[in-house]
Amino acid sequence: MNDREFINAIDADGLPLNIAVKNGRITHIGPQRAAVAAAETIDLEGLLALPGFVDGHIHLDKSFVGDRWRPHQNVATLRERLAVEKRELASAPPILDRADALIRQAATYGTLAMRCHVDVDATTGLSHLNAILQARDNWKDLIDIELVAFPQAGVVSCPGTAEILEAAVREGVQVVGGIDPTTLDGDAEAQLDIIFGIAERHGVKADIHLHEPGEICIAQLERIAARTRALGMQGLVAVSHAYGLGDVSEQVVDRTAQVLAHAGVSIMTNAPGEHAFPPVLRLRAGGVRVFTGNDNIQDAWWPYGNGDMLQRAMLVSYRSGFNTDEELRVALDMATEASAAVMGKTDYGLKVGNEASFLLFKAPNAAAAVAAALHERLIVRHGAFWGGPAILQLKAAQFSREMRR
């Protein structure tokens, strides 16, 4: 016998959906009722069921969520921004407290997993990492947090950082990061030697921040792809931002997409407000996995964000000019299945055998939910109602009544 069956839901296309659960896992999913009876039947009365969100790029150690509002400060250079950040963080509450606040907020919006970039370099040592490791442990039963050792201050240009990155991996970080090998570090080959050397020695993944423009970005992507292929790391390497892909011609994008797809290098974009950014549909058409994340949330870099990945999917859609249902579904995929694949999650999604964790919305289909960036939702974790943005304990019938007022 199943523990519970959720009936009369709809799927991403607006078609009938029923989900049966036993021991926190999906035993049946489809338009028909389960053949095996359930101890409890819950009528969802037409609510839309979607997989939980996966935030493919977030900085838990930087955010001021849980702190006072801090007005944004304009600067002229990256180094000035780093100085402002260091000054603001010095007067903020402890990293652990702020990270806990942001994880809690993301969880109430239905985020089940996230890839967190943590500042790890010769200027900060492992202090940020130690705090985020504790935060990850605090939330291990609700959110799967994959950690990236992120050398914000540079690798080659910040002596001692290579050793700190290696130490971070020994502490349990699953991904080694990099940043702007040419424009920040001034020596692309040297930085990539370090990053890929650590990845090869320790069997970890790589995720490199790339804010470099135009042809500099394209050349960097080609270097990264070549190293990925040479080490057999297909599917284990991502490039975050890759702004330069939004600066070049369609022909250059198509050529680069072939290179990236052949190497299995993924691209993360959060569709930032003031930058050109990768053309999502063109890259996907070329075989590149494109995923998304919130990136910075209310920190020294910008004042925006709340941790809601449905809102992020809407912003990606808006900035990309997505209007059709199919295009809006692409943005949802970037915030769910694509990000999950980059993290290597195998127990994810609305499939038989997987963890029975999903979200419920009052919407006719997934495209409508993305376009409206619906705030109200209900979270099911391991086959039981868990909560939502406003109310963390809510019975199904009560939720149905509230949603239909």
Side-chain angles (χ1 to χ4, degrees):
M1 175 174 285
N2 289 310
D3 297 327
R4 191 170 291 112
E5 186 176 12
F6 299 89
I7 66 171
N8 295 328
I10 59 172
D11 67 11
D13 295 316
L15 300 175
L17 188 69
N18 300 282
I19 305 171
V21 177
K22 184 174 183 178
N23 297 327
R25 297 197 168 272
I26 298 172
T27 58
H28 165 84
I29 185 165
Q32 306 300 325
R33 293 284 302 271
V36 177
E40 180 182 14
T41 300
I42 298 173
D43 189 345
L44 294 178
E45 300 180 23
L47 294 178
L48 169 69
L50 295 177
F53 298 122
V54 179
D55 192 328
H57 188 120
I58 193 170
H59 293 267
L60 294 172
D61 56 331
K62 297 176 181 291
S63 177
F64 298 128
V65 169
D67 187 15
R68 63 177 175 82
W69 176 257
R70 292 173 181 260
H72 184 73
Q73 300 177 46
N74 289 325
V75 299
T77 68
L78 175 60
R79 295 296 182 186
E80 288 179 21
R81 175 61 61 205
L82 294 176
V84 167
E85 179 183 56
K86 188 172 289 292
R87 184 169 63 248
E88 289 293 306
L89 289 177
S91 63
I95 291 173
L96 177 57
D97 294 349
R98 291 181 285 108
D100 272 340
L102 181 52
I103 295 169
R104 181 181 299 108
Q105 190 161 299
T108 63
Y109 284 118
T111 291
L112 308 183
M114 56 176 62
R115 172 175 280 190
C116 171
H117 295 251
V118 186
D119 282 14
V120 172
D121 53 50
T123 65
T124 59
L126 298 179
S127 59
H128 287 216
L129 177 62
N130 291 332
I132 298 302
L133 284 168
Q134 180 60 58
R136 181 174 70 172
D137 188 63
N138 291 347
W139 289 89
K140 64 184 178 183
D141 294 331
L142 277 177
I143 295 189
D144 177 14
I145 303 179
E146 182 179 61
L147 298 180
V148 184
F150 174 47
Q152 175 77 80
V155 180
V156 179
S157 59
C158 187
T161 293
E163 292 76 15
I164 297 296
L165 288 172
E166 194 128 28
V169 172
R170 289 195 295 268
E171 289 294 317
V173 165
Q174 303 105 310
V175 189
V176 60
I179 181 171
D180 298 339
T182 296
T183 58
L184 180 63
D185 256 0
D187 193 336
E189 297 296 346
Q191 182 183 130
L192 295 178
D193 280 346
I194 292 168
I195 301 307
F196 280 92
I198 293 172
E200 182 182 22
R201 284 192 298 277
H202 296 277
V204 295
K205 294 181 274 190
D207 190 330
I208 299 172
H209 278 63
L210 196 57
H211 313 97
E212 297 172 337
E215 292 300 333
I216 299 174
C217 172
I218 300 305
Q220 211 72 264
L221 291 171
E222 291 172 347
R223 291 188 191 99
I224 292 168
R227 288 171 180 266
T228 300
R229 291 196 308 272
L231 294 176
M233 291 182 63
Q234 290 91 336
L236 302 177
V237 176
V239 174
S240 291
H241 304 305
Y243 293 151
L245 281 167
D247 296 331
V248 296
S249 69
E250 291 181 348
Q251 291 77 14
V252 173
V253 171
D254 290 345
R255 184 196 77 210
T256 307
Q258 289 184 346
V259 172
L260 295 171
H262 182 59
V265 174
S266 301
I267 296 293
M268 191 294 302
T269 182
N270 66 323
E274 63 177 349
H275 290 284
F277 64 98
V280 173
L281 297 182
R282 202 160 194 97
L283 289 172
R284 282 173 57 102
V288 180
R289 176 178 287 127
V290 187
F291 64 111
T292 191
N294 276 299
D295 195 17
N296 300 83
I297 297 176
Q298 296 179 29
D299 59 15
W301 293 80
W302 57 42
Y304 297 102
N306 62 5
D308 182 3
M309 286 300 295
L310 186 62
Q311 183 186 82
R312 179 56 50 188
M314 182 274 288
L315 290 171
V316 169
S317 299
Y318 182 81
R319 285 227 61 209
S320 298
F322 292 173
N323 293 311
T324 68
D325 282 14
E326 182 181 9
E327 290 168 341
L328 292 164
R329 288 279 298 274
V330 166
L332 179 65
D333 178 78
M334 291 168 62
T336 54
E337 299 287 353
S339 288
V342 170
M343 284 184 61
K345 291 187 66 62
T346 56
D347 187 23
Y348 170 81
L350 295 176
K351 303 179 183 70
V352 170
N354 285 353
E355 176 186 314
S357 294
F358 51 92
L359 308 178
L360 298 167
F361 297 89
K362 185 183 179 183
N365 54 47
V370 172
L374 294 173
H375 178 79
E376 294 299 333
R377 66 200 68 178
L378 183 66
I379 301 168
V380 174
R381 296 302 311 267
H382 304 286
F385 288 103
W386 181 71
I391 304 172
L392 293 182
Q393 297 296 330
L394 195 60
K395 294 181 179 179
Q398 178 186 348
F399 179 74
S400 296
R401 288 194 300 271
E402 291 293 330
M403 293 286 276
R404 285 164 178 75
R405 283 183 178 178

